[in-house]
Amino acid sequence: MKFYKIMIALLLLSSCKKSEPIVITPNDYHNAIDKVVNIMIHDIFSPPVASRIFVYPNIAAYEIIAMQNPRYNSLSGQVSELTQIPKPKAPDQINFQLAALIAHMDLSRQLVFSEDQITSYRDSLYDIWEHKNPEVFKNSQDYALEVTKHIVQWMNADNYKQTRTMSKFNINSDDISRWEPTPPSYMDGLEPHWNKIRTFVLDSASQFKPNPPPEFSMEPGSKFHNELMEVYDISNKITELGDTSEEMQIAQFWDCNPYVTVTRGHLMFATKKITPGAHWIGIAKIASKKSNMNFEDTVYAYTKTSIVIFEAFISCWDEKYRSNLVRPETLINKYVNDNWKPILQTPPFPEYPSGHSVASGAASTALNSIFGNDFQFDDTTELQFGLPIRSFKSFDHAANEAAISRMYGGIHYRAAVDEGVKQGRDLGMFVVNSLNMVNE
């Protein structure tokens, strides 16, 4: 009889046990971002599309944080057509950090091809959180999904779906100044209609239209021909110096081309890498960790950076398909040396301006506004691809190196690099000054 009394007492104590608090850390958000990056590498998204996959989930998470934390201001009314997210009916029964993380994962899952990978990752976390506190988990999940639905409705009006059915880019093979597909895969021009995607802060895709490239001319001594031969001469010099040269290491470090294909005999396959936007998202992660940011500040850093990168690709792609300039590889093979190959594989879209340069100029400006102009960091982003750590004294230092890497790699003329990074910084400063995200 005594034994049964003890058992009953234990059962009563067990049933009265308080639920554990669900603690969400900055690392939980970093891990969710990392999961998305790895899936994006696997699914091989183009740089513009990748920027879209980053930005909407971050905005969803940020809006939930701004609903609860008075330090942050909602983006509704600040970015195009975004209205205020639903208010929670019982805010005291919601873990807002948990809701932000769930919203990020759920929206990310809807934007990638391999959604099962995020679903599996998400469900493994759901098991832990639900076990700790079923009521708070359920309330937070319900609110997160309500917000996600709101953001998806807004997102679906950005013209992305319409651009999926628009015509391919028309190649003008009779004009040698115009872009044409490059080896080894000779892919069609990617995302020729990206300038039709709704901007967030810019009044149009062409608001930061850069200076035009040098007038096309194959006449020796002309500015354009000089820039063409500069690419050729630098590439030959770097190749002669070998893999140990600083220029070669810079080119390889900032490659970030998700469309690299390798040909071996009759076999052609792709090697998968991150996009330039993903590299700068990785730098945002490095800076957030070094600064010991809390969860809310971490979400803010990612959101601001991803907004600027998204705008940068719309602006850059608008000019790419307007100027429609031929790549160095095409002209060098036709008129200088038919055996020449660039150090990096030429990506499948027109040359001007450099996408790396525009995105890097924009991202560095956003990160300067968060962490300061002299933020030193070690960039470990490319370790997973077997490349060593590079150290930078500032975000501008990194952006300048990313930009010049494209000329070292043999895929851009100098004007595309110089004008591109300026375009990115001008655009980035405009976005930063236009957004009022933080109450200091």
Side-chain angles (χ1 to χ4, degrees):
M1 188 69 179
K2 185 176 181 181
F3 172 78
Y4 289 111
K5 288 182 178 179
I6 293 173
M7 289 298 296
I8 291 171
L10 289 173
L11 287 171
L12 288 172
L13 285 172
S14 176
S15 64
C16 294
K17 181 184 176 182
K18 292 184 178 180
S19 298
E20 296 180 51
I22 300 174
V23 178
I24 305 299
T25 70
N27 276 338
D28 292 321
Y29 203 80
H30 292 313
N31 292 340
I33 294 281
D34 287 345
K35 189 67 179 177
V36 174
V37 169
N38 289 333
I39 292 170
M40 287 165 64
I41 294 170
H42 176 272
D43 289 349
I44 315 181
F45 287 102
S46 69
V49 175
S51 74
R52 184 176 183 267
I53 295 172
F54 281 124
V55 74
Y56 284 110
N58 279 324
I59 288 177
Y62 175 85
E63 287 298 290
I64 290 175
I65 293 303
M67 177 63 70
Q68 179 262 345
N69 190 329
R71 170 173 162 78
Y72 292 108
N73 298 316
S74 170
L75 290 168
S76 64
Q78 297 196 66
V79 301
S80 297
E81 301 177 4
L82 176 63
T83 57
Q84 189 178 63
I85 62 173
K87 293 182 178 180
K89 297 179 179 64
D92 58 329
Q93 298 175 24
I94 292 173
N95 181 326
F96 283 86
Q97 294 178 341
L98 174 59
L101 182 55
I102 291 174
H104 182 278
M105 290 190 296
D106 189 71
L107 188 46
S108 296
R109 183 181 61 84
Q110 299 181 46
L111 288 169
V112 299
F113 298 141
S114 303
E115 61 181 88
D116 58 309
Q117 294 187 35
I118 294 183
T119 301
S120 176
Y121 174 73
R122 179 201 65 185
D123 290 350
S124 68
L125 296 175
Y126 278 7
D127 290 341
I128 296 171
W129 297 329
E130 189 171 19
H131 178 74
K132 287 186 174 182
N133 195 319
E135 183 178 2
V136 168
F137 167 73
K138 183 66 167 59
N139 292 335
S140 303
Q141 181 190 36
D142 288 346
Y143 182 59
L145 297 181
E146 185 181 6
V147 171
T148 300
K149 184 178 180 181
H150 182 90
I151 298 295
V152 167
Q153 186 175 11
W154 167 61
M155 178 185 74
N156 285 342
D158 72 354
N159 298 324
Y160 175 76
K161 290 183 178 179
Q162 289 83 341
T163 62
R164 301 307 89 190
T165 60
M166 291 179 182
S167 60
K168 292 184 178 181
F169 182 59
N170 184 33
I171 307 298
N172 186 350
S173 58
D174 295 330
D175 187 344
I176 63 170
S177 72
R178 301 307 180 190
W179 178 83
E180 60 183 75
T182 51
S185 54
Y186 297 94
M187 293 178 64
D188 291 328
L190 292 174
E191 300 299 340
H193 305 289
W194 199 253
N195 65 344
K196 298 177 178 65
I197 300 295
R198 178 188 58 200
T199 56
F200 288 155
V201 182
L202 305 186
D203 61 26
S204 69
S206 61
Q207 182 177 352
F208 286 89
K209 179 180 176 181
N211 293 321
E215 183 179 358
F216 181 84
S217 172
M218 291 303 290
E219 184 70 27
S222 67
K223 183 172 176 54
F224 182 86
H225 189 266
N226 287 344
E227 290 201 3
L228 173 67
M229 295 311 297
E230 182 182 26
V231 173
Y232 180 67
D233 293 339
I234 286 177
S235 175
N236 288 339
K237 180 181 178 181
I238 294 173
T239 302
E240 185 178 333
L241 291 171
D243 291 344
T244 59
S245 72
E246 179 73 357
E247 293 86 355
M248 180 72 81
Q249 292 176 12
I250 289 172
Q252 292 173 342
F253 185 79
W254 293 100
D255 187 7
C256 303
N257 180 1
Y259 287 95
V260 173
T261 55
V262 179
T263 303
R264 291 180 182 169
H266 297 293
L267 178 66
M268 179 178 286
F269 59 92
T271 58
K272 298 178 180 181
K273 299 182 181 182
I274 58 175
T275 63
H279 191 131
W280 280 98
I281 290 293
I283 292 175
K285 169 187 171 182
I286 291 165
S288 299
K289 282 191 166 186
K290 183 177 179 181
S291 301
N292 293 317
M293 279 186 157
N294 63 25
F295 183 88
E296 286 87 351
D297 292 346
T298 297
V299 173
Y300 158 67
Y302 277 122
T303 304
K304 192 173 190 179
T305 304
S306 62
I307 288 174
V308 168
I309 291 171
F310 179 78
E311 299 283 75
F313 276 109
I314 295 176
S315 179
C316 179
W317 252 244
D318 176 63
E319 179 59 36
K320 275 188 178 292
Y321 285 96
R322 177 174 36 248
S323 54
N324 188 18
L325 186 61
V326 64
R327 289 278 184 171
E329 181 172 15
T330 301
L331 293 179
I332 292 172
N333 286 164
K334 284 183 178 180
Y335 301 105
V336 183
N337 181 349
D338 59 5
N339 291 318
W340 182 84
K341 291 182 179 180
I343 290 168
L344 302 180
Q345 193 169 116
T346 302
F349 32 80
E351 190 271 345
Y352 188 84
S354 156
H356 269 59
S357 302
V358 179
S360 297
S364 62
T365 303
L367 290 168
N368 282 339
S369 73
I370 301 169
F371 300 99
N373 296 336
D374 300 311
F375 190 92
Q376 299 180 15
F377 64 98
D378 295 327
D379 190 348
T380 58
T381 309
E382 299 291 331
L383 279 176
Q384 63 177 313
F385 302 107
L387 296 172
I389 298 170
R390 291 190 68 81
S391 298
F392 299 101
K393 60 185 179 183
S394 68
F395 300 116
D396 286 339
H397 177 202
N400 290 337
E401 186 177 284
I404 198 63
S405 75
R406 314 313 280 164
M407 195 172 75
Y408 291 162
I411 61 176
H412 276 295
Y413 312 110
R414 183 174 291 277
V417 168
D418 292 346
E419 292 295 333
V421 78
K422 179 182 183 303
Q423 178 184 355
R425 285 187 171 129
D426 290 346
L427 176 154
M429 188 58 67
F430 175 81
V431 174
V432 165
N433 290 338
S434 298
L435 293 178
N436 178 22
M437 297 178 72
V438 181
N439 295 314
E440 299 292 353

